[in-house]
């Protein structure tokens, strides 16, 4: 991506190295429900949440030490923090303009950068859950170590920087915020509470694919305004979308996929909607509207 000279967003709450302020334990069945609820509320991404909590239970409650000592950030981490603020600023510019064009007002979400564990209005969050959005406080939560994990664990094809794949992750969470502002997230969560698990999973997939689509629409307009995309960027994000598809992750983790447990969509679906968003930018039409959630 070409980001030289781009502004950084001020809507960032930098809590890196601060811990949670108190010793916090996640464990027991309550922990599972709580964590599952956060994921449910937020569309938390890419973490195999239940597995993670079960693992934590086997190891006993996780203790998060009180912050206090100064945390030193590496140059690499500072670069990622600045990058994230630039991408967030890009989403603010694009969505403000797009909402205005359609007679709506965009409200900025806040990006919370944290290390390890964090308190949110949706409950306690942890880095193992991956980046997530909490609609109760309209905040996006991101532990920057997620990006090095992506590079290490996803086996992405790109050998150079993965900036646009990272931007896609942030824009996807902003996509959930756009869903929230449009009333889609609330409507969908209300429906999810009334139906069985399998039906709820299907609705979750729709929310996730819509967030992918909105991420693509953001990239479409960001590139139109700032010529931000460079050669290989789109392929890099599409490759990422493929490798975070439910079928791909499940096959990798246990050798087979269980479609009824999918919550984020298949590789094909994720690639399709991201690409369609990038190509069309057509976010406010009936291509993928709230009525599709029925
Ligand atoms: Zn999501």
């Amino acid at each position: 991506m070409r980001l030289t000279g781009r502004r950084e967003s001020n809507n960032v709450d930098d809590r890196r190295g601060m811990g949670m302020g108190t010793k916090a334990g996640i464990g027991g069945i309550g922990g599972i429900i709580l964590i599952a609820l956060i994921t449910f509320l937020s569309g938390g991404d890419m973490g195999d949440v239940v597995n993670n909590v079960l693992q934590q239970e086997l190891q006993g409650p996780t203790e998060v030490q009180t912050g206090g000592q100064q945390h030193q950030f590496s140059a690499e981490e500072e670069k990622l923090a600045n990058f994230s603020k630039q991408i967030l600023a890009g989403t603010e510019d694009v969505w403000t303009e797009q909402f205005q064009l359609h007679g709506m007002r965009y409200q900025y979400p806040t990006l919370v950068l944290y290390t390890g564990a964090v308190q949110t209005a949706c409950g306690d969050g942890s880095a193992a859950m991956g980046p997530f959005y909490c609609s109760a406080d309209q905040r996006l939560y991101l532990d920057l170590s997620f990006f090095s994990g992506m590079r290490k664990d996803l086996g992405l094809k790109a050998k150079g920087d993965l900036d646009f794949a990272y931007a896609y992750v942030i824009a996807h969470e902003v996509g959930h915020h756009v869903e929230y502002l449009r009333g889609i997230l609330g409507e969908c969560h209300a429906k999810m509470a009334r139906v069985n698990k399998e039906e709820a999973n299907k609705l979750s997939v729709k929310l996730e694919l819509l967030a992918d689509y909105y991420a693509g629409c953001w990239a479409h307009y960001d590139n139109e305004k700032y010529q931000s995309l460079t050669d290989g960027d789109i392929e890099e994000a599409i490759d990422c979308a493929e490798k975070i598809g439910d079928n791909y992750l499940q096959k990798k983790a246990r050798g087979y996929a269980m479609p009824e447990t999918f919550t984020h969509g298949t590789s094909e679906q994720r690639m399709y909607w991201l690409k369609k968003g990038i190509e069309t930018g057509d976010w406010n039409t009936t291509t993928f509207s709230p009525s599709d959630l029925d």
Side-chain angles (χ1 to χ4, degrees):
M1 291 185 83
R2 206 181 287 115
L3 294 170
T4 316
R6 293 278 297 270
R7 75 175 181 94
E8 293 179 9
S9 172
N10 294 321
N11 299 302
V12 178
D13 180 1
D14 195 342
R15 295 196 218 156
R16 289 177 296 158
M18 284 164 62
M20 297 231 295
T22 52
K23 281 189 177 182
I26 298 170
I29 190 75
I32 293 178
I33 292 168
L34 182 65
I35 296 280
L37 184 72
I38 298 169
T39 317
F40 178 71
L41 288 173
S42 63
D45 285 323
M46 303 175 204
D48 191 346
V49 172
V50 174
N51 261 352
N52 165 51
V53 174
L54 287 174
Q55 220 166 17
Q56 283 176 344
E57 275 192 90
L58 293 173
Q59 294 160 352
T62 313
E63 288 204 330
V64 181
Q65 293 296 331
T66 309
Q69 67 270 53
Q70 271 310 96
H71 187 86
Q72 289 295 320
F73 302 113
S74 65
E76 180 61 19
E77 192 173 341
E78 279 310 284
K79 215 173 113 188
L80 282 174
N82 297 338
F83 166 83
S84 302
K85 292 173 192 174
Q86 283 183 315
I87 297 301
L88 183 67
T91 66
E92 289 168 348
D93 296 350
V94 163
W95 287 118
T96 297
E97 202 173 286
Q98 288 300 313
F99 269 54
Q100 258 166 16
L101 276 173
H102 296 281
M104 292 177 274
R105 200 173 72 82
Y106 184 66
Q107 291 161 277
Y108 293 166
T110 299
L111 171 67
V112 180
L113 298 175
Y114 73 98
T115 315
V118 69
Q119 283 173 337
T120 85
C122 298
D124 293 343
S126 85
M129 295 164 55
F132 61 94
Y133 170 71
C134 170
S135 59
D137 56 21
Q138 298 184 45
R139 292 176 155 225
L140 329 165
Y141 291 87
L142 173 65
D143 181 321
L144 293 169
S145 67
F146 181 78
F147 291 140
S148 47
M150 267 174 78
R151 178 178 287 283
K152 222 169 59 221
D153 301 332
L154 287 182
L156 300 177
K157 287 179 199 150
K159 292 287 169 267
D161 63 18
L162 291 171
D163 49 8
F164 190 51
Y166 297 163
Y168 157 48
V169 169
I170 296 170
H172 171 102
E173 298 310 331
V174 172
H176 285 305
H177 177 64
V178 172
E179 290 175 346
Y180 169 72
L181 294 178
R182 300 190 79 192
I184 300 170
L185 198 67
E187 186 192 341
C188 202
H189 282 160
K191 275 185 195 165
M192 285 164 86
R194 290 196 302 266
V195 296
N196 66 29
K197 183 86 183 128
E198 210 174 317
E199 289 303 312
N201 285 347
K202 280 186 198 159
L203 290 167
S204 166
V205 167
K206 291 198 170 185
L207 282 178
E208 295 306 326
L209 296 178
L210 186 57
D212 282 344
Y213 182 58
Y214 285 160
C217 292
W218 161 73
H220 176 95
Y221 293 109
D222 196 86
N223 188 47
E224 198 173 271
K225 276 172 89 72
Y226 302 112
Q227 290 78 48
S228 45
L229 298 185
T230 52
D231 278 355
D233 276 344
I234 293 176
E235 292 74 13
E236 169 190 310
I238 301 287
D239 181 41
C240 177
E242 177 177 12
K243 285 164 183 166
I244 54 176
D246 286 321
N247 53 333
Y248 193 97
L249 289 176
Q250 287 190 1
K251 270 189 196 139
K252 204 168 141 189
R254 49 183 158 182
Y256 59 94
M258 297 166 66
E260 70 279 10
T261 66
F262 289 174
T263 53
H264 285 66
T266 64
S267 298
E268 287 67 31
Q269 290 173 318
R270 300 201 73 164
M271 290 192 290
Y272 176 83
W273 286 106
L274 174 63
K275 207 166 153 200
K276 196 174 172 80
I278 297 172
E279 281 166 8
T280 66
D282 206 359
W283 67 282
N284 196 37
T285 65
T286 51
T287 317
F288 202 134
S289 77
S291 59
D292 286 334
L293 298 169
D294 288 329

